[in-house]
């Protein structure tokens, strides 16, 4: 278990992701980005081939495989600890065969019933995110009486189902799904509820980087300062990892929070 919050750097091999769509479609561009992240001491590189922004339409399995598997190979060859962001069991299985360390599934296994058995037969860590539906209509499912309690309850159901399917508890990491079927105010409530989420007894991944709730009228890159502020808060709360579009400012923010923790504990 990490003693400080890790940084999971995002490499989207997509034309339509909200913050970096189209930047890393070519293998050489993705490789250059991964090398840069490694030089900034990224902890985990998270590679995705399907946008999950609100309103996005799904890509075919063939397109997803063609996008991500060469980049996974390249990242592993460069010495990265690699996560694959996918909802498809077959794509996850192919990446596991190549040697990835994490599968980051925004559906928590709900989008593909075969995912749990793929994970159960492997040694990878598995991020199960809170999810209520695909991107095309997920914002129609953002009604909550108590968003923190309901997200915890729905994640508990997923954890139980995954364990019943053979996934080992020590493989599991949970993600409350910031921005997925959540309105801006609900995202802030979830961040304030990290302590309650931690009662699930599993490591927590937070993916808030550059998302719209951090600045409705700002471009994604203009939300970087707010993203770093959220990372600082997450580090103060003992979150396992943050998923971010940049590395160095988040690493630095976490390092400063750790210094504050030491001075208080000292």
């Amino acid at each position: 278990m990490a003693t400080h919050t890790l940084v999971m750097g995002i490499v989207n091999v997509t034309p339509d992701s909200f913050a970096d769509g189209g930047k890393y479609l070519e293998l050489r561009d993705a490789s250059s980005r991964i090398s840069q992240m490694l030089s900034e001491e990224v902890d985990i590189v998270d590679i995705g081939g399907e946008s999950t922004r609100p309103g996005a339409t799904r890509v075919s399995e063939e397109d997803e495989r063609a996008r991500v598997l060469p980049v996974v190979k390249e990242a592993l060859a460069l010495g990265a600890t690699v996560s694959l962001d996918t909802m498809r069991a077959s794509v996850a299985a192919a990446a596991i065969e190549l040697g990835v360390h994490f599968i980051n599934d925004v559906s928590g296994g709900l989008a593909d019933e075969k995912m749990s058995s793929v994970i159960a037969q492997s040694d990878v860590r598995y991020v199960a995110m809170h999810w209520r539906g695909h991107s095309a209509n997920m914002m129609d499912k953002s009604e909550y009486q108590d968003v923190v309690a309901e997200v915890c309850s729905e994640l508990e159901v997923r954890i139980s189902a995954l364990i019943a399917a053979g996934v080992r508890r020590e493989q599991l990491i949970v993600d409350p799904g910031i921005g997925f079927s959540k309105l801006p105010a609900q995202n802030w409530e979830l961040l304030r509820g990290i302590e309650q989420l931690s009662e699930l007894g599993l490591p927590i991944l937070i993916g808030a980087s550059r998302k719209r709730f951090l600045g409705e009228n700002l471009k994604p890159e203009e939300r970087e300062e707010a993203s770093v502020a959220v990372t600082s808060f997450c580090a103060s709360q003992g979150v396992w990892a943050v998923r971010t579009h940049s590395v160095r400012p988040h690493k630095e923010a976490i390092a400063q929070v750790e210094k504050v923790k030491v001075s208080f504990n000292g």
Side-chain angles (χ1 to χ4, degrees), residues 99-122:
V100 296
H101 307 87
F102 298 84
I103 296 296
N104 180 12
D105 180 356
V106 300
S107 81
L110 288 169
D112 188 336
E113 62 182 14
K114 296 178 182 176
M115 182 66 87
S116 55
S117 63
V118 166
I119 302 302
Q121 293 167 38
S122 78

Side-chain angles (χ1 to χ4, degrees):
M1 185 73 70
T3 57
H4 63 274
T5 297
L6 304 178
V7 172
M8 177 184 279
I10 301 165
V11 179
N12 284 320
V13 194
T14 58
D16 55 343
S17 290
F18 80 94
D20 59 357
K23 287 187 177 181
Y24 310 119
L25 273 173
E26 297 295 326
L27 180 59
R28 66 177 179 272
D29 295 327
S31 178
S32 175
R33 180 62 180 139
I34 293 163
S35 294
Q36 180 188 0
M37 286 181 164
L38 289 170
S39 74
E40 296 177 4
E41 300 184 346
V42 71
D43 297 293
I44 304 162
V45 173
D46 189 50
I47 297 162
E50 179 176 26
S51 175
T52 51
R53 62 176 173 77
T57 55
R58 298 213 69 186
V59 300
S60 69
E61 179 184 337
E62 293 72 24
D63 282 350
E64 187 183 357
R65 290 173 72 99
R67 288 174 181 179
V68 300
L69 295 182
V71 181
V72 166
K73 277 186 188 177
E74 179 70 6
L76 290 167
L78 289 168
T81 297
V82 180
S83 166
L84 180 65
D85 181 349
T86 186
M87 291 182 275
R88 288 189 169 101
S90 60
V91 180
I96 290 167
E97 203 167 308
L98 290 175
V100 296
H101 307 87
F102 298 84
I103 296 296
N104 180 12
D105 180 356
V106 300
S107 81
L110 288 169
D112 188 336
E113 62 182 14
K114 296 178 182 176
M115 182 66 87
S116 55
S117 63
V118 166
I119 302 302
Q121 293 167 38
S122 78
D123 292 321
V124 299
R125 303 289 301 280
Y126 180 66
V127 180
M129 196 190 81
H130 175 262
W131 188 81
R132 284 185 166 184
H134 287 290
S135 296
N137 64 353
M138 68 179 177
M139 296 314 293
D140 297 334
K141 301 176 181 181
S142 57
E143 287 190 17
Y144 302 86
Q145 296 300 313
D146 181 333
V147 67
V148 179
E150 288 172 60
V151 166
C152 287
S153 175
E154 289 169 35
L155 280 172
E156 193 99 64
V157 170
R158 290 310 307 143
I159 292 163
S160 297
L162 289 162
I163 290 172
V167 178
R168 299 181 303 285
R169 190 174 181 87
E170 58 267 26
Q171 289 179 276
L172 293 172
I173 297 156
V174 291
D175 180 339
I178 300 290
F180 288 78
S181 301
K182 319 287 189 315
L183 300 174
Q186 294 164 343
N187 293 322
W188 291 114
E189 282 184 57
L190 279 172
L191 289 171
R192 286 192 295 271
I194 284 173
E195 189 173 343
Q196 195 171 333
L197 287 162
S198 70
E199 292 173 9
L200 291 168
L202 291 170
I204 298 170
L205 172 68
I206 295 289
S209 180
R210 300 185 183 180
K211 289 186 176 176
R212 185 173 293 176
F213 80 105
L214 296 174
E216 290 279 339
N217 299 317
L218 300 176
K219 295 175 183 176
E221 61 272 17
E222 293 173 336
R223 302 172 192 146
E224 179 63 16
E225 290 85 354
S227 300
V228 173
V230 170
T231 284
S232 298
F233 174 73
C234 289
S236 76
Q237 298 296 298
V239 163
W240 171 76
V242 288
R243 185 174 178 272
T244 66
H245 291 88
S246 66
V247 175
R248 182 170 288 142
H250 295 271
K251 293 284 289 188
E252 185 61 27
I254 292 164
Q256 299 309 318
V257 170
E258 289 304 312
K259 288 178 185 176
V260 173
K261 283 182 180 177
V262 168
S263 66
F264 270 106
N265 293 335

